[in-house]
Amino acid sequence: MSGTNLESQFNALRVGYQLERFPSLANRLDRLRRVKAMLSEHEAAWCEALSRDFGYRSADQSSFADITTTIKAANHALKNLKFWMKAERRTPDLSLRMSGAKTYVESFPKGVVGIVSPWNFPINLALSPLISVLAAGNRAFIKPSEITPATSALLQKLIAQYFADDEVSVACGDVDVAQAFVKLPFDHVIYTGGETVAKYIMRDAAENLVPLTLELGGKSPVIVSSSADLKLTAKRIAFGKYFNAGQICIAPDYLLIAKERLDAFLIELKTAVENADSSQGSADSVSIVNDRHRQRLENLVAEGESKNGKVVRFAGLNQSCYQLTVVIDPSNDAAINTGEIFGPVLLIKTIGDLSGQISYINQSSHPLVIYYFGSSEAEFRRVACETSSGGLVKNDVIFQYANDDLPFGGVGGSGMGKYRGEYGFKEFSNSRAIYKSGFMDVSGFVTPPYSDVFRMVNKLMRKI
Ligand code: NAD
């Protein structure tokens, strides 16, 4: 696609925004319903495209992870939008209150919002932002991932079927298209993807002072407390590593556990993997998205092994695609210690005491999420207060994302800004401060010449 095409798509959206700067509740609800219809009326086609892009991807998993989660997000917005759109009264301080002034905050659309989405959940991570963007009354321009071309082409086709060119548009293409896309003078851009590209995007956005929401990744740690139930921990970690073959930004990346509990944990992990395998079968698995990513994972494991890491390979659900593999205590210079794994490989570090676990986590940039397994509320609170991350979860993995009422996003190296639910509505809105003056002439009071009454009231104002 040429830059001219991108510009003409963008300009159509800009005109759409100019013609309807504050869409009514009814129009916004109608757009959200069209997102839902576009998903549910073509579910088989979406699942087929996803499987083609991944090499293989269980239709049930696609249906749950990409279709149902996105429809749920739309339902949440449909139910709550009229409350989110209400102007919120703010209490003026006493002096303004006495003058009869009234103050409000009201959310207005920002304009045209760019959505740059990744390959791992190509539908959900393009359309969940879209739901927030449309709920806030904006126009949207989506650049989906080139790594999942069949799904991106279907998205482009169906968006054109369900939305006018001046409401929502899609630009498919390689990195050169993505680079031209993020140079457009958007009113806001949300990017979901890796940290390196995020830095390029920030530089481009700076040219037009475009506000950004960055949904990045990183290494999400799992703290295994001495009070943790190892069976439950292993079952949930296994889930986090085979669901979408661990290609999830909030997948547990590495696990911190006491040396004395390691063998017992590995036995439970083996059982968990075998149970998942026998109860579901390989038809429910997901492939590593392409050879480059498969090779990347193999390199991480091989290098970890060559640097004193003990490697354990589990036969299981992903056997036809990639075995769940554990790398234990490789030396500090192994790449697996620093790079995000993003696949069915688990790094284990034998650090058992909570202080050591917390200081290990704090050595790196803030993760997207920290998982704590254990029964101690006091420990959980310590983790909350002594670390920083986008989210914090006790005794589970990934299911925080299932709650549409929670904000989603990172902090520091794992991103900036939060979306989903009301947080998404606010993120893509301009929260306008509105002040209506009252019956008293406040500005006249501070206009020279200043009197003794002015000086007295000036001092009094500091006390209220
Ligand atoms: P990707 O390669 O599909 O890239 C994401 C998007 O960036 C694509 O649309 C691509 O076209 C675009 N892009 C690539 N190069 C660009 C450039 N130079 N300028 C502008 N745009 C460019 O996806 P990825 O980066 O491999 O995604 C995986 C990463 O995303 C992981 O780090 C993962 O943790 C993170 N992620 C984060 C979340 C979240 O919500 N926080 C969700 C999923 C994935």
Side-chain angles (χ1 to χ4, degrees):
M1 177 180 292
S2 71
T4 327
N5 274 352
L6 281 180
E7 270 163 34
S8 67
Q9 283 178 278
F10 178 81
N11 288 338
L13 294 162
R14 165 78 58 225
V15 170
Y17 166 65
Q18 278 157 356
L19 291 175
E20 192 197 31
R21 282 178 173 266
F22 191 86
S24 64
L25 173 64
N27 283 0
R28 299 184 198 201
L29 295 179
D30 170 58
R31 286 176 190 142
L32 294 174
R33 286 194 195 100
R34 278 185 272 152
V35 175
K36 277 180 69 175
M38 185 180 79
L39 288 169
S40 53
E41 287 166 11
H42 303 276
E43 179 159 352
W46 286 117
C47 293
E48 198 273 323
L50 284 162
S51 193
R52 206 153 9 115
D53 282 334
F54 274 74
Y56 181 78
R57 197 182 199 235
S58 150
D60 282 321
Q61 199 192 110
S62 289
S63 166
F64 173 69
D66 273 289
I67 308 285
T68 302
T69 51
T70 314
I71 290 178
K72 254 172 57 28
N75 286 343
H76 182 75
L78 283 165
K79 209 182 307 158
N80 293 292
L81 184 55
K82 70 167 178 282
F83 305 109
W84 301 341
M85 283 177 71
K86 280 209 171 102
E88 293 168 32
R89 238 181 131 149
R90 289 280 178 266
T91 312
D93 71 16
L94 188 60
S95 50
L96 286 182
R97 214 156 59 231
M98 279 165 49
S99 79
K102 301 238 177 324
T103 53
Y104 305 86
V105 178
E106 189 174 351
S107 299
F108 288 82
K110 285 193 159 182
V112 182
V113 178
I115 299 172
V116 186
S117 55
W119 55 266
N120 62 325
F121 292 104
I123 302 171
N124 180 267
L125 293 172
L127 299 188
S128 276
L130 179 69
I131 287 162
S132 295
V133 166
L134 293 179
N138 301 288
R139 308 290 160 144
F141 197 4
I142 306 173
K143 162 65 186 79
S145 178
E146 61 280 10
I147 294 179
T148 46
T151 312
S152 297
L154 185 61
L155 181 72
Q156 187 171 43
K157 182 177 136 201
L158 292 179
I159 286 281
Q161 214 170 298
Y162 283 78
F163 290 91
D165 291 350
D166 66 358
E167 287 180 308
V168 184
S169 215
V170 176
C172 291
D174 286 333
V175 174
D176 52 337
V177 174
Q179 284 168 331
F181 184 87
V182 295
K183 288 190 173 70
L184 292 167
F186 284 108
D187 298 295
H188 193 112
V189 165
I190 171 165
Y191 164 76
T192 306
E195 191 179 332
T196 309
V197 169
K199 290 178 185 167
Y200 297 132
I201 291 181
M202 261 192 121
R203 271 177 222 136
D204 286 333
E207 283 300 310
N208 294 306
L209 291 178
V210 175
L212 290 177
T213 304
L214 298 177
E215 297 290 339
L216 313 180
K219 293 181 85 62
S220 293
V222 180
I223 291 175
V224 183
S225 153
S226 56
S227 62
D229 172 340
L230 289 185
K231 193 184 185 66
L232 178 139
T233 308
K235 191 164 173 242
R236 292 182 183 172
I237 297 300
F239 158 74
K241 280 297 184 187
Y242 65 63
F243 192 70
N244 211 36
Q247 300 165 113
I248 313 177
C249 56
I250 48 175
D253 186 283
Y254 68 94
L255 185 130
L256 302 168
I257 189 170
K259 208 176 200 111
E260 317 79 72
R261 304 196 82 198
L262 177 62
D263 287 346
F265 173 77
L266 290 175
I267 290 167
E268 294 295 355
L269 189 62
K270 183 168 186 288
T271 309
V273 170
E274 284 167 0
N275 284 347
D277 192 26
S278 57
S279 64
Q280 294 178 41
S282 63
D284 292 333
S285 64
V286 174
S287 298
I288 302 302
V289 73
N290 58 29
D291 288 343
R292 180 168 69 80
H293 278 282
R294 172 184 285 272
Q295 193 57 54
R296 181 183 62 76
L297 290 166
E298 278 167 12
N299 292 347
L300 276 182
V301 173
E303 197 229 19
E305 194 164 27
S306 74
K307 294 197 167 161
N308 304 324
K310 181 180 168 205
V311 171
V312 183
R313 290 185 173 82
F314 295 86
L317 192 63
N318 284 308
Q319 199 168 18
S320 63
C321 309
Y322 199 97
Q323 283 173 285
L324 178 61
T325 303
V326 172
V327 182
I328 304 159
D329 282 336
S331 56
N332 288 342
D333 59 342
I336 196 168
N337 288 309
T338 46
E340 180 181 5
I341 295 173
F342 217 61
V345 174
L346 178 71
L347 169 67
I348 296 184
K349 309 286 284 183
T350 51
I351 301 173
D353 70 299
L354 188 62
S355 297
Q357 292 171 328
I358 288 174
S359 72
Y360 184 82
I361 291 168
N362 285 342
Q363 278 168 24
S364 321
S365 66
H366 306 317
L368 198 48
V369 52
I370 296 176
Y371 295 110
Y372 167 87
F373 280 85
S375 58
S376 164
E377 265 310 307
E379 282 185 348
F380 188 63
R381 191 73 202 141
R382 262 195 75 191
V383 177
C385 296
E386 294 178 28
T387 65
S388 182
S389 61
L392 182 62
V393 175
K394 187 174 174 200
N395 288 327
D396 213 334
V397 296
I398 296 168
F399 272 90
Q400 69 275 22
Y401 191 74
N403 186 345
D404 296 294
D405 213 16
L406 281 176
F408 185 71
V411 58
S414 55
M416 63 176 74
K418 302 272 193 308
Y419 78 112
R420 306 197 82 218
E422 189 171 6
Y423 293 88
F425 173 80
K426 291 243 161 77
E427 183 80 358
F428 302 118
S429 291
N430 169 20
S431 301
R432 244 168 159 179
I434 302 174
Y435 166 73
K436 291 184 184 167
S437 80
F439 48 83
M440 257 168 64
D441 178 14
V442 179
S443 56
F445 176 69
V446 285
T447 305
Y450 300 119
S451 63
D452 284 346
V453 176
F454 166 81
R455 291 185 195 100
M456 190 184 72
V457 174
N458 180 36
K459 289 274 160 60
L460 267 177
M461 280 175 70
R462 300 175 191 180
K463 301 194 192 307
I464 53 176

